Amino acid sequence: MAFTIVVVILTLLYLVVLELSKNMIIGWIIGIIIAAAMIAVRFYLKKQGKNKKGILALCWVGFFVLLGANMLITGPPEKQVSAVDNKNPEVTSVVHVNEGDLTGVYNEDKSVAVYAGIPFAKPPVGDLRFKEPQKPEAWQGVKACDKFAPMAMQSRTNPFYDSLTHILGWHDYEMKIGDEYVEAMSEDCLYLNVFVPEGYKGEKLPVIFYIHGGSLNSGQPSYTEYRGENLAKKGVIYVNCAYRVGVFGYYAADDLKAESPNGTTGDYGLLDQIAALQWVRDNIGSFGGDPDRITIAGESAGSSSVNALCASPLTEGMFQYAIGESSSILPYKPYHTFRDYEDAKEEGDTVRKEFGAASSDDLRKVAADKLVTTKSKQNAMTIDGYALPEMPYVTYERGANHEKALLNGFNGKEADVFLMTYEATKDNYIELLEKALGDYAEEMAQLVPPTTPQRDEYFIIDQGGDAKGALDTVYSAAWFSYPHHIWSNYMIAQNKPCYEYNFTKKNKVISDNHAGELPYAYGNLWRHPGLYSQEDDKLSEIMQQYWVNFVKTGDPNGEGLPRWEMRSADQSKLIKLDTNIEMVEDPNNAIYTIIDKYQQSERAKREAKAANQ
């Protein structure tokens, strides 16, 4: 009896692992059969009354070997995700674009048509790896655009750990039939998705062109938190796109610069975004969109990319407005997603040494699933002389940036998740601050001492006490909110409309941590049933309307909405997006004064270095 109980308990634990690992259902069946066979063998041996210790030991070995083999064999297959959630969706009428005819599918109530997996460039494979994106090829017949294309090549999180993240972090894990797969991934990834309100017969609609985040080394446009069905229902066309990430998107080398007709290297992911934006301008009219009323938007590394598009000479006249959430590359020394060209080349050297490649052309021969395992850091844009000919702050100081109006902002606890592994104490606090502030760490420690009370917390992460909470506060400001502070200031200096926010709404999912605003702003709270309250739904409706109004007019304000005051030389407040929406002073203003000093010192070093070259 005890033996049977042990086998049953082990089998149940095994089935839990299979569920969290998204193994196929056949794996469950085989696992149960293996357990039943184990119990049957034990029953048979006991009935025969034989000396069974040695045989039973072999059975245990066989039991675990078979379970392990079953787990490997029945692992989750790759699958392209359906463009809509409803099964057997109705197909749209044919739409003609420059490359050919295509159809999409309708969501359940037919309020939105989704056209997913539309190619905007040739597959960047083979000889086209590490090259600027090429125009897409025409196709014959009618292309069925009913599934999201594979995500760009990236290090994939193990499904088991991904499930734990949804249990412990998002708190939205569901045990259900039909999710036994991992999303398809391929180097052939340059596709975009278009969400169109159905039945609209008026003037051409404004367009949101959204760029996903992921530190420039991960992410995909199919992610549920920024799908565009709800925003489309409010009278805009929503487009998002994939782009090359990691080593495929941001590897730089002089030999590539030499072979490029544009003298570029290191910004392939950024050039992909520009190619997608150009495709939208050329074709969005076929979906009812206005190519002259495009707003570019993005979050995290997507926001850094939006900032880069605003500064790139290649995008002049290609869009009207910009929405940036939780990042920019405007500091004199950007904290992330941007690096000097010399640093980019050094990391490129590292990649070639890692794979024994004498040249970049040799790297083109390395299999994509092998190249993606590089240990080198390849997640930053650079000054390539083409897409970005100068430091972005220089472009803004010249007034050569393109956005005519800006909506931007940050969340309450931006850096906390990124600092989970930091063990901050009173003794090492200044040392940790030096990584972000250099010689100004001690001054910051006086302003934000390691005895600062820990911030309120919904998230399951243990912040580790006062020193950790203080470190989170400083890094959240330096890495994420300070870049928006200076972005807003540049817009004010140029007398352009600028609206800034601070999202602080607590909830039981990821609260106001990094990316917490996404399902609110893009209308996807409904994808997490039972986890958001009526207060959350109300705030989401307001935020969506702000975003849509801004896309339509360059001003988020509208009838029935709390007034969002524009930033100006005389108006320094930003809007606090919470249960109570109000205009408040930026909570990090005092911190910015010290970051300014550090950034000024870094600019002086850069200019002195340039003068000596």
Side-chain angles (χ1 to χ4, degrees):
M1 185 66 179
F3 177 88
T4 301
I5 292 173
V6 169
V7 172
V8 169
I9 292 174
L10 288 174
T11 303
L12 290 175
L13 290 173
Y14 178 70
L15 294 179
V16 169
V17 173
L18 290 181
E19 162 62 22
L20 297 180
S21 301
K22 301 304 175 185
N23 280 61
M24 294 183 287
I25 297 298
I26 186 66
W28 289 53
I29 296 172
I30 294 173
I32 292 171
I33 291 173
I34 292 170
M38 183 69 173
I39 293 172
V41 168
R42 174 70 176 88
F43 179 78
Y44 173 79
L45 292 175
K46 188 175 182 179
K47 187 175 182 180
Q48 294 297 315
K50 296 180 179 179
N51 180 3
K52 53 187 179 295
K53 284 188 177 181
I55 298 175
L56 198 56
L58 288 174
C59 288
W60 276 114
V61 171
F63 176 68
F64 288 111
V65 168
L66 288 173
L67 290 181
N70 176 55
M71 188 164 186
L72 291 174
I73 294 170
T74 65
E78 282 198 351
K79 173 184 172 182
Q80 286 183 240
V81 178
S82 176
V84 291
D85 298 306
N86 43 304
K87 294 182 178 180
N88 303 314
E90 185 175 336
V91 177
T92 69
S93 57
V94 175
V95 173
H96 180 75
V97 297
N98 288 347
E99 293 75 37
D101 294 333
L102 57 84
T103 56
V105 287
Y106 290 110
N107 65 342
E108 189 167 13
D109 64 3
K110 289 191 64 176
S111 58
V112 175
V114 184
Y115 305 84
I118 305 173
F120 65 82
K122 285 184 182 178
V125 300
D127 290 340
L128 294 184
R129 181 186 286 178
F130 308 139
K131 286 187 178 180
E132 299 93 314
Q134 308 295 305
K135 286 188 175 297
E137 296 178 341
W139 60 80
Q140 299 297 317
V142 179
K143 181 183 285 293
C145 295
D146 56 358
K147 292 182 176 63
F148 294 110
M151 69 174 78
M153 290 299 299
Q154 55 196 266
S155 296
R156 194 196 296 274
T157 304
N158 183 287
F160 179 82
Y161 294 115
D162 186 59
S163 295
L164 289 181
T165 298
H166 280 273
I167 293 171
L168 301 175
W170 286 88
H171 309 139
D172 64 349
Y173 187 84
E174 291 183 273
M175 187 173 175
K176 59 184 179 182
I177 302 296
D179 63 352
E180 303 84 17
Y181 65 89
V182 293
E183 190 167 344
M185 180 170 67
S186 173
E187 192 175 2
D188 177 5
C189 62
L190 300 185
Y191 300 83
L192 53 75
N193 314 301
V194 183
F195 297 76
V196 182
E198 172 61 16
Y200 181 79
K201 302 298 182 183
E203 64 180 12
K204 295 285 187 178
L205 291 171
V207 179
I208 299 178
F209 177 82
Y210 184 87
I211 302 169
H212 71 75
S215 301
L216 298 185
N217 61 15
S218 65
Q220 70 269 19
S222 62
Y223 187 43
T224 55
E225 302 313 294
Y226 39 71
R227 291 189 192 173
E229 290 176 33
N230 270 27
L231 289 189
K233 292 177 185 179
K234 297 182 185 299
V236 298
I237 291 179
Y238 179 92
V239 181
N240 60 15
C241 70
Y243 56 95
R244 284 171 283 183
V245 297
V247 66
F248 300 92
Y250 299 95
Y251 164 77
D254 280 342
D255 59 353
L256 293 177
K257 196 175 186 71
E259 76 174 28
S260 165
N262 301 300
T264 180
T265 185
D267 284 333
Y268 305 109
L270 179 62
L271 290 169
D272 291 342
Q273 296 162 14
I274 295 172
L277 181 57
Q278 184 61 59
W279 190 95
V280 171
R281 282 190 59 80
D282 293 342
N283 293 282
I284 203 64
S286 297
F287 299 89
D290 187 343
D292 294 321
R293 298 175 66 198
I294 296 174
T295 294
I296 58 173
E299 184 268 345
S300 191
S303 183
S304 294
S305 298
V306 164
N307 195 192
L309 293 179
C310 290
S312 174
L314 303 182
T315 60
E316 185 173 3
M318 292 178 69
F319 60 89
Q320 275 191 308
Y321 312 131
I323 297 175
E325 304 168 42
S326 302
S327 278
S328 91
I329 51 174
L330 280 174
Y332 300 139
K333 183 179 181 180
Y335 284 104
H336 52 77
T337 55
F338 193 91
R339 60 189 172 188
D340 290 339
Y341 182 66
E342 291 302 317
D343 293 334
K345 284 201 305 177
E346 286 182 14
E347 286 295 333
D349 293 342
T350 300
V351 176
R352 290 192 302 279
K353 291 176 183 177
E354 185 178 5
F355 292 97
S359 67
S360 297
D361 200 46
D362 287 343
L363 273 187
R364 290 187 172 117
K365 300 169 186 175
V366 178
D369 58 357
K370 183 178 180 182
L371 186 59
V372 77
T373 64
T374 179
K375 303 295 190 299
S376 173
K377 294 182 179 179
Q378 298 292 341
N379 60 334
M381 294 171 274
T382 190
I383 301 173
D384 66 334
Y386 177 57
L388 291 173
E390 61 189 1
M391 289 295 294
Y393 73 81
V394 176
T395 304
Y396 275 76
E397 288 180 353
R398 294 193 298 108
N401 51 299
H402 311 313
E403 70 275 37
K404 297 177 181 178
L406 173 68
L407 185 157
N408 76 136
F410 55 93
N411 296 350
K413 298 193 292 292
E414 289 279 14
D416 300 38
V417 175
F418 297 96
L419 300 178
M420 287 173 57
T421 60
Y422 282 50
E423 295 182 5
T425 66
K426 294 178 183 178
D427 294 330
N428 71 356
Y429 180 62
I430 291 178
E431 180 182 346
L432 291 174
L433 288 181
E434 286 175 350
K435 296 180 179 180
L437 294 161
D439 295 339
Y440 296 90
E442 290 192 13
E443 186 175 351
M444 185 64 78
Q446 293 295 318
L447 178 66
V448 187
T451 55
T452 301
Q454 184 171 316
R455 293 189 277 179
D456 54 343
E457 187 58 67
Y458 257 72
F459 207 47
I460 199 166
I461 296 169
D462 178 7
Q463 297 215 24
D466 295 342
K468 181 59 166 54
L471 191 74
D472 290 338
T473 298
V474 173
Y475 270 79
S476 289
W479 285 354
F480 296 102
S481 66
Y482 178 77
H484 287 284
H485 169 71
I486 56 178
W487 197 352
S488 294
N489 286 343
Y490 276 123
M491 294 295 285
I492 292 168
Q494 296 172 10
N495 292 314
K496 292 180 178 178
C498 175
Y499 301 87
E500 192 171 356
Y501 70 84
N502 181 16
F503 176 84
T504 58
K505 182 69 175 71
K506 305 294 186 297
N507 56 62
K508 296 179 180 179
V509 188
I510 62 169
S511 199
D512 58 339
N513 284 274
H514 189 68
E517 89 290 356
L518 282 177
Y520 290 80
Y522 296 93
N524 288 299
L525 297 187
W526 63 274
R527 298 181 184 277
H528 307 278
L531 293 178
Y532 288 101
S533 67
Q534 289 184 349
E535 282 185 356
D536 295 309
D537 291 333
K538 181 179 178 182
L539 176 59
S540 177
E541 281 300 315
I542 292 172
M543 288 177 63
Q544 289 176 71
Q545 200 59 58
Y546 278 146
W547 264 238
V548 168
N549 288 347
F550 180 79
V551 171
K552 291 179 177 180
T553 68
D555 182 342
N557 293 291
E559 185 178 353
L561 297 175
R563 180 71 184 172
W564 188 342
E565 298 293 339
M566 187 175 74
R567 287 287 310 275
S568 69
D570 300 320
Q571 201 297 102
S572 62
K573 291 183 178 181
L574 42 75
I575 199 167
K576 182 178 180 180
L577 297 173
D578 208 321
T579 302
N580 296 315
I581 298 175
E582 57 183 335
M583 298 299 298
V584 299
E585 292 292 344
D586 190 326
N588 298 315
N589 275 334
I591 294 176
Y592 298 154
T593 61
I594 300 175
I595 300 175
D596 273 332
K597 295 178 183 179
Y598 166 72
Q599 287 288 338
Q600 288 286 358
S601 70
E602 290 299 313
R603 177 173 185 168
K605 292 177 185 177
R606 178 185 296 276
E607 292 176 348
K609 182 180 179 180
N612 292 327
Q613 288 179 342

